[in-house]
Amino acid sequence: MPGKSKELTPLELELMKVLWLERIGPLSVQEVRQRIVGRSVAYTTVQTMLNILVRKGWAKRTLVERSYRYRPAVSREKAAGSALKNLVQKMFGGSAEALVLNLIDTRQMTPETLQRLHELVQAEEERDDH
């Protein structure tokens, strides 16, 4: 897993989202560029950023017929888990409870989500009892 000094910039995250969404295999620079949502980014910028992602350990590349094809080196789930852990540490002093309470206080969770969370907690408690 890439280290703290290798956190993703907003554009890098956009490129990783493209790589994570593809199920057809590694993508060329042009294919990544065409799939960026909401903005136009120059080919050379995408190429440079993909190479930075490779250096940071977020992506891998393979040379295929004189051009590189890129794929994620880290799953979206692992990246999300790491980002969430960093957020909890930085913003909530390592307290996941403080994060959840903040989500509730700021109305980031719907009543349906709160009910689902309650059910998950109950299921976990029942599992621990057995």
Side-chain angles (χ1 to χ4, degrees):
M1 188 74 214
K4 285 183 182 179
S5 64
K6 298 179 183 179
E7 290 180 8
L8 295 172
T9 66
L11 180 55
E12 290 170 347
L13 180 57
E14 283 188 53
L15 297 181
M16 287 304 300
K17 286 179 181 178
V18 170
L19 296 178
W20 284 323
L21 288 176
E22 292 305 319
R23 301 286 185 234
I24 58 174
L27 299 171
S28 69
V29 173
Q30 186 60 30
E31 290 168 331
V32 171
R33 183 175 177 258
Q34 291 170 344
R35 287 168 172 82
I36 296 172
V37 178
R39 71 159 124 167
S40 177
V41 182
Y43 179 93
T44 54
T45 300
V46 173
Q47 183 177 40
T48 299
M49 298 307 294
L50 286 169
N51 288 329
I52 289 170
L53 287 169
V54 169
R55 274 199 315 272
K56 286 183 168 185
W58 287 97
K60 292 183 179 183
R61 69 181 181 191
T62 306
L63 188 60
V64 178
E65 298 179 13
R66 299 189 338 236
S67 69
Y68 284 109
R69 300 193 65 83
Y70 297 84
R71 60 186 166 80
V74 176
S75 73
R76 184 181 199 127
E77 293 76 18
K78 282 191 178 185
S82 178
L84 185 56
K85 185 177 178 180
N86 288 338
L87 174 69
V88 168
Q89 191 60 44
K90 288 179 186 176
M91 298 297 295
F92 301 98
S95 171
E97 179 182 351
L99 167 67
V100 173
L101 291 173
N102 182 272
L103 290 171
I104 293 168
D105 288 346
T106 59
R107 304 203 184 280
Q108 300 289 319
M109 296 180 125
T110 64
E112 295 80 14
T113 303
L114 287 170
Q115 179 62 37
R116 183 163 177 257
L117 183 59
H118 178 72
E119 290 166 3
L120 288 170
V121 169
Q122 281 185 321
E124 188 65 25
E125 287 174 348
E126 289 173 10
R127 194 174 70 125
D128 286 345
D129 289 341
H130 292 104

